[in-house]
Amino acid sequence: MTVQPAGIYLHIPFCRAKCPYCDFYSVTTLDRIDAFVEALPTEMEMQRHRISLADTVYFGGGTPSLLSARRIERILDAMHARFAVTADAEVTLEVNPGTVGRQDLDAFYRAGVNRLNIGLQSTDDRTLSFLGRIHTADSGIATYRHARDAGFGNVGLDLIYAVPGQTRKSWEAEMARAVQLAPDHLSCYTLTIEAGTPLAQRVREGRVRPLAELVAGDLFSATADFLEAHGYRQYEISNYARVSRTGRLDLRSRHNRKYWNFIDYLGFGPAAHSLSGATRRWNCSTLDAYMAALQRGASPEAGREKLTRDQQILEAVYLGLRQTDGIDTTFFLSRFQCDFYDRFGKQMDQLTGEGLLEKRKTRVRLTRLGMGYLESVVQRMLV
């Protein structure tokens, strides 16, 4: 089996303000940014033996665009000094409108970033206000246009839907405004109520009433229908990209596809995860613990687990069905020495009969209907 290049993920744990729906780790005190940037190479040095080659780099967070281009360049220089990275590597920076101007984007481009993922989240100011974003729809769109002016040829937008009060008509209007910009990639996420967030507290207190499940499901279908009608191919349950019929243009996220296909990746920063073969590792969950470990010369690793064969099969089914390509049964056999149909044939027959799954040569995939019931389909597959 050919070993594919790994991915490198850098968790930048700083935000100007915390969004009420977000449960990703970040802090809003920005006075430790320089100390954090200085500490990252120390962790890189500790991990330099773990991969031989990488072809994707992803700055996530948090709000990575709070870092200056000089700091981003410093991190990339430290990374290149310790890891072999291909010349055509995909280098993605998450950008939040309200944190950057045209000059910043010019500088990020010169620093070596070649792909942007802009957290637009909505093209409606009322939705942005509900989500606690620090930008307006117009300023978010301006950020996108500045990115194009800076020379970025690969720009994606994040959108959130199934917001209380949203209708199919209003959501399609939001998507239409986003599509008019002609982004290369769109990530459309349903609003989820994450435990421990301010939004979850508002729901418990009755101040926010989530959309009914059937309404949210209708918006999921509307998303796929609308975006595919406008030239965006769904390749994962929440992700769409411009892909030409000839296959020469493929703007799917190379980095995120590593997560969904069990390809090794190294994570740096607090709360970052890594995968090497069947071993998953994770770092200290807070900036304080992360920095303290590195200052005393210790690894910030907080734990690890070796996935059992059954755990790997479970994840292969779940992550495979998230993707519109589905599960490659030939690859499944070579990886697990187990015939997919022998293992799941009975469940397959039931789910196929209900129109939730379909078989295509050596692939098993969810139907459009099945995509809306991913969790329950996977549960039924694994009984």
Side-chain angles (χ1 to χ4, degrees):
M1 188 180 298
T2 303
V3 177
Q4 299 190 52
I8 293 175
Y9 174 78
L10 301 121
H11 187 75
I12 310 301
F14 301 98
C15 283
R16 187 164 291 168
K18 288 284 287 183
C19 297
Y21 59 87
C22 181
D23 70 340
F24 292 135
Y25 175 70
S26 66
V27 297
T28 55
T29 50
L30 308 183
D31 57 350
R32 303 182 71 184
I33 287 179
D34 281 328
F36 171 73
V37 171
E38 291 293 329
L40 270 177
T42 303
E43 187 189 4
M44 291 181 185
E45 187 68 28
M46 293 175 178
Q47 307 296 337
R48 65 185 305 169
H49 64 286
R50 293 196 181 275
I51 59 173
S52 57
L53 184 67
D55 68 350
T56 66
V57 180
Y58 196 103
F59 288 87
T63 306
S65 53
L66 285 173
L67 271 59
S68 65
R70 178 184 59 80
R71 294 181 179 115
I72 294 293
E73 187 172 19
R74 191 165 190 170
I75 293 169
L76 287 172
D77 286 345
M79 182 193 68
H80 282 287
R82 291 163 178 82
F83 302 103
V85 181
T86 62
D88 67 343
E90 175 191 85
V91 183
T92 303
L93 179 74
E94 289 184 350
V95 170
N96 278 358
T99 64
V100 293
R102 167 63 194 275
Q103 290 183 340
D104 300 304
L105 294 164
D106 285 338
F108 288 141
Y109 187 77
R110 292 194 302 270
V113 176
N114 55 32
R115 181 175 184 269
L116 293 184
N117 206 58
I118 299 175
L120 185 63
Q121 311 307 6
S122 177
T123 59
D124 180 88
D125 284 339
R126 290 169 299 180
T127 299
L128 289 170
S129 177
F130 174 85
L131 294 173
R133 304 298 289 179
I134 64 173
H135 66 277
T136 64
D138 285 346
S139 65
I141 289 170
T143 297
Y144 172 87
R145 290 178 172 146
H146 289 328
R148 291 301 198 193
D149 291 342
F152 285 98
N154 193 348
V155 182
L157 299 176
D158 283 357
L159 298 173
I160 293 177
Y161 67 99
V163 174
Q166 197 169 50
T167 65
R168 186 179 184 121
K169 183 178 179 180
S170 66
W171 170 228
E172 287 181 345
E174 289 195 47
M175 287 191 287
R177 195 174 185 196
V179 164
Q180 284 175 356
L181 298 171
D184 303 294
H185 189 279
L186 283 159
S187 296
C188 299
Y189 302 108
T190 55
L191 179 66
T192 53
I193 313 301
E194 303 290 355
T197 62
L199 180 58
Q201 178 69 21
R202 293 175 196 171
V203 171
R204 283 196 303 272
E205 294 171 352
R207 292 188 288 147
V208 171
R209 184 177 180 180
L211 280 189
E213 188 174 338
L214 285 176
V215 177
D218 180 61
L219 294 182
F220 173 83
S221 298
T223 304
D225 291 343
F226 185 92
L227 293 181
E228 293 200 350
H230 287 80
Y232 292 88
R233 184 183 302 174
Q234 185 181 28
Y235 68 98
E236 192 268 348
I237 199 162
S238 301
N239 287 276
Y240 300 78
R242 290 198 295 123
V243 183
S244 67
R245 292 179 180 177
T246 63
R248 292 181 181 177
L249 177 68
D250 187 350
L251 294 168
R252 294 175 294 178
S253 169
R254 287 161 54 188
H255 184 83
N256 286 344
R257 290 170 69 200
K258 293 184 186 298
Y259 300 147
W260 306 322
N261 291 288
F262 281 100
I263 299 171
D264 287 0
Y265 55 89
L266 267 183
F268 297 101
H273 283 61
S274 302
L275 180 72
S276 179
T279 300
R280 180 172 287 120
R281 298 176 293 108
W282 54 92
N283 280 352
C284 303
S285 60
T286 68
L287 180 61
D288 286 343
Y290 174 83
M291 298 290 288
L294 292 176
Q295 286 166 5
R296 65 175 183 269
S299 168
E301 183 179 309
R304 66 173 65 190
E305 64 175 339
K306 180 73 175 289
L307 299 175
T308 66
R309 180 172 176 274
D310 283 345
Q311 286 175 320
Q312 292 179 66
I313 288 175
L314 184 154
E315 292 203 7
V317 170
Y318 180 74
L319 296 173
L321 291 180
R322 288 190 67 90
Q323 302 175 76
T324 55
D325 284 345
I327 297 166
D328 182 336
T329 56
T330 303
F331 177 78
F332 187 92
L333 176 62
S334 67
R335 183 184 180 98
F336 299 114
Q337 289 74 56
C338 169
D339 184 272
F340 186 86
Y341 299 108
D342 287 345
R343 178 75 178 256
F344 300 110
K346 182 179 178 181
Q347 299 96 311
M348 277 282 305
D349 289 342
Q350 293 173 342
L351 292 163
T352 301
E354 294 172 28
L356 299 172
L357 280 182
E358 63 183 9
K359 305 175 189 177
R360 289 193 177 181
K361 296 182 179 179
T362 61
R363 289 194 175 272
V364 173
R365 48 181 277 180
L366 288 171
T367 62
R368 174 64 60 79
L369 175 65
M371 276 277 179
Y373 297 94
L374 171 68
E375 303 293 338
S376 61
V377 168
V378 171
Q379 288 175 5
R380 290 175 62 185
M381 287 282 287
L382 298 172
V383 293

